[in-house]
Amino acid sequence: MVDECALTFETGRDKRLLVLPAWFDEANKLRRTTVEVMHRLDLSGIDSFLPDLPGCNESLQPLETQTLASWRTAAKVAADHFQATHILAVRAGALLDPGTLPGWRYAPSGGRQVLRAMIRARTIAAKEAGREETTASLQERGRAEGIELAGWNLGSALFADIEQAAPPNDTPLADITQADIGGGALWLRAEPDEDPEQADALAAIVAIGMNAQ
Amino acid sequence: MSAEAAPKAEAPAGLAPSRTAIDDQLRAILCDVLGLDRERVEDFDNDTGLFGHLPELDSMAVAGLLTEMEDRLDIIIEDDDVDGEMLETYGGLLAFAEAKVVES
């Protein structure tokens, strides 16, 4: 196991939240809101931890060699390492739910949805550049040899894993929908944006839940 | 997972969703994608330029827009459906969405 970086609000408190972040482009668009939620939780007496997924952000590992299993292992190892008592999974982060801790998943999404938008971005960009790439041919290539989508080099194993992955039905995590939070979904925003009210709402749900226990 | 108060493009059983419902849905999605107030997007008319006119609407943003249209309007958008004409103006995108909803 190689060490990974994590952004932490850590003062040794009893209530300890592991955040499983959104993936790829959505990770960028939701990073600020995610950290803003952690900052609010810190003020509510909760430690929180946002690890880099292997192959992403500051990770020294190559993304191409990751698999869904290696990411799930990383999530479990992070939960143990930080002695997490709760989990907040964001979007596709729900696919890494270890199933052993209580908590929440915010607008969970399946792997198919993750790939659909990234593949479509590539076909649109290709069309603009006068090249023809089809969804079917990109999917085939992804499964066979891996593929670069929106700047991320996905290996064939991770691509095939993600295509099949859906958030588990049987989970100790409670769902938080965008309607619960209010406002427009920030992962859809063409330019990364922030919304303090959304961070307030998400942090309030988590803080009330954790402090009630 | 739709935005708050976004009207669903649903109609009484047996009837296709009204054009108004599709128009409302499409404007709600554009609010989310472009980060604009509802009032600004209400001012969009058929000739309002989208892809190629709004610099923030790059291929990733358009991909997100189309994917969200699939989910909220319950349609499937094929590769061949996506062309400059349908993405160029609000009217083009609305006409496309209406045709897809009728087809599905």
Side-chain angles (χ1 to χ4, degrees):
Chain A
M1 203 70 205
V2 184
D3 282 351
E4 298 292 352
C5 293
L7 190 147
T8 66
F9 288 86
E10 152 87 280
T11 56
R13 290 169 287 195
D14 292 341
K15 297 184 172 98
R16 309 174 68 77
L17 181 77
L18 176 68
V19 181
L20 299 175
W23 293 5
F24 309 128
D25 186 59
E26 291 192 352
N28 295 342
K29 290 180 179 167
L30 289 172
R31 177 120 183 142
R32 180 163 177 102
T33 298
T34 304
V35 175
E36 285 292 313
V37 168
M38 294 170 69
H39 182 62
R40 284 158 172 75
L41 292 173
D42 179 45
L43 301 175
S44 299
I46 293 166
D47 280 1
S48 62
F49 314 92
L50 175 63
D52 287 345
L53 291 172
C56 299
N57 300 350
E58 304 298 318
S59 175
L60 297 176
Q61 299 192 62
L63 178 59
E64 302 91 281
T65 56
Q66 301 306 316
T67 63
L68 197 56
S70 72
W71 277 7
R72 284 187 173 142
T73 301
K76 279 202 189 85
V77 168
D80 291 344
H81 176 78
F82 293 116
Q83 297 176 292
T85 58
H86 293 76
I87 281 182
L88 172 63
V90 181
R91 300 285 292 157
L95 300 173
L96 307 182
D97 171 11
T100 50
L101 291 171
W104 298 265
R105 45 187 201 185
Y106 169 38
S109 72
R112 206 178 56 82
Q113 287 115 300
V114 172
L115 289 178
R116 186 174 47 162
M118 291 170 81
I119 288 175
R120 182 165 275 150
R122 179 156 166 167
T123 60
I124 293 169
K127 200 170 264 188
E128 261 190 292
R131 286 178 286 118
E132 190 67 32
E133 287 183 330
T134 66
T135 298
S137 69
L138 295 177
Q139 285 169 331
E140 265 171 49
R141 196 193 311 173
R143 288 172 207 138
E145 58 193 69
I147 190 168
E148 191 233 289
L149 292 174
W152 281 273
N153 276 315
L154 309 183
S156 57
L158 184 60
F159 185 94
D161 289 347
I162 294 177
E163 263 193 321
Q164 303 293 329
N169 290 324
D170 185 17
T171 172
L173 306 182
D175 285 351
I176 300 171
T177 67
Q178 185 58 30
D180 296 331
I181 299 301
L186 290 170
W187 61 87
L188 284 177
R189 210 50 69 80
E191 296 287 333
D193 204 351
E194 62 179 310
D195 182 344
E197 289 180 12
Q198 292 195 33
D200 286 346
L202 190 48
I205 292 171
V206 172
I208 289 167
M210 287 179 75
N211 284 327
Q213 285 161 15
Chain B
M1 218 152 48
S2 56
E4 57 165 356
K8 279 268 172 206
E10 281 168 7
L15 286 177
S18 71
R19 297 188 63 179
T20 317
I22 298 169
D23 185 44
D24 280 350
Q25 276 282 16
L26 200 52
R27 287 181 199 270
I29 297 169
L30 281 166
C31 282
D32 290 354
V33 171
L34 297 171
L36 295 176
D37 292 337
R38 187 74 200 197
E39 296 76 45
R40 283 275 314 274
V41 175
E42 287 301 338
D43 289 342
F44 281 15
D45 61 24
N46 282 346
D47 297 327
T48 301
L50 298 177
F51 196 47
H53 300 265
L54 301 168
E56 65 269 42
L57 211 50
D58 60 10
S59 57
M60 194 71 221
V62 169
L65 169 72
L66 298 180
T67 303
E68 195 67 9
M69 283 171 63
E70 286 186 322
D71 290 347
R72 290 201 212 170
L73 297 171
D74 198 20
I75 58 177
I76 291 176
I77 301 173
E78 309 287 351
D79 292 346
D80 292 343
D81 293 334
V82 183
D83 60 32
E85 201 182 333
M86 111 208 232
L87 289 169
E88 198 189 342
T89 61
Y90 182 73
L93 194 62
L94 179 60
F96 168 79
E98 287 172 353
K100 272 286 166 186
V101 169
V102 169
E103 194 182 290
S104 68

